[in-house]
């Protein structure tokens, strides 16, 4: 599975951005897609996650501001970000959870995109 993010930009506090992630490869094995972020000097953290069935969950710090969605027909996942704050500044990564089932085993693989920079100025 290959993931390519886009949409990162420099935006003023209070502004909005929409990130996109295009998935390719073994699409049928993807069970969930998510967005993570990593700020300088900090660990990578979950932002939002959406399962193949459409169940979503968000980190507390983005609830009511960010919305994750997916277009299964086009193999895209989006992150709509509103009311951006300077503390949202980070590299945002797309993440895919892939489950491969064979007669012998069930294995889970995690894939990452290259990241897209979001910078929020005060």
């Amino acid at each position: 599975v290959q993931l390519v993010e886009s949409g990162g930009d420099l935006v003023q506090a209070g502004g909005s951005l929409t990130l996109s992630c295009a998935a390719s490869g073994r699409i049928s094995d993807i069970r969930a897609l998510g967005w993570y972020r990593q700020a300088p000097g900090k660990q990578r953290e979950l932002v939002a996650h959406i399962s193949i069935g459409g169940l979503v969950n968000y980190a507390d710090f983005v609830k009511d501001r960010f919305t994750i969605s997916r277009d299964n027909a086009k193999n895209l996942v989006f992150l709509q970000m509103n009311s951006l704050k300077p503390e949202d500044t980070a590299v945002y990564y797309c993440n895919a959870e892939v489950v491969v089932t064979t007669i012998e085993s069930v294995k889970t693989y995690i894939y990452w995109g290259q990241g897209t920079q979001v910078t929020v100025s005060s």
Side-chain angles (χ1 to χ4, degrees), residues 8-113:
D9 205 345
L10 171 64
V11 63
Q12 289 188 334
S16 299
L17 276 177
T18 299
L19 304 183
S20 301
C21 174
S24 61
R26 300 187 63 161
I27 303 300
S28 61
D29 293 330
I30 293 177
R31 292 298 174 261
L33 291 163
W35 287 97
Y36 287 69
R37 71 185 188 186
Q38 187 167 19
K42 295 187 177 181
Q43 289 188 332
R44 192 170 298 189
E45 59 185 357
L46 173 69
V47 176
H49 176 271
I50 184 167
S51 73
I52 190 173
L55 293 176
V56 299
N57 69 287
Y58 297 95
D60 287 342
F61 54 78
V62 301
K63 282 183 179 178
D64 300 325
R65 297 191 300 126
F66 292 8
T67 303
I68 189 171
S69 61
R70 60 190 295 176
D71 182 334
N72 290 331
K74 297 181 179 180
N75 303 318
L76 297 169
V77 62
F78 305 99
L79 185 68
Q80 173 67 44
M81 305 186 293
N82 299 322
S83 302
L84 283 163
K85 305 175 182 179
E87 52 263 44
D88 293 320
T89 295
V91 178
Y92 284 70
Y93 295 91
C94 184
N95 162 282
E97 178 182 321
V98 174
V99 178
V100 178
T101 302
T102 66
I103 294 177
E104 293 84 14
S105 67
V106 178
K107 295 184 178 180
T108 300
Y109 301 87
I110 302 297
Y111 294 88
W112 296 94

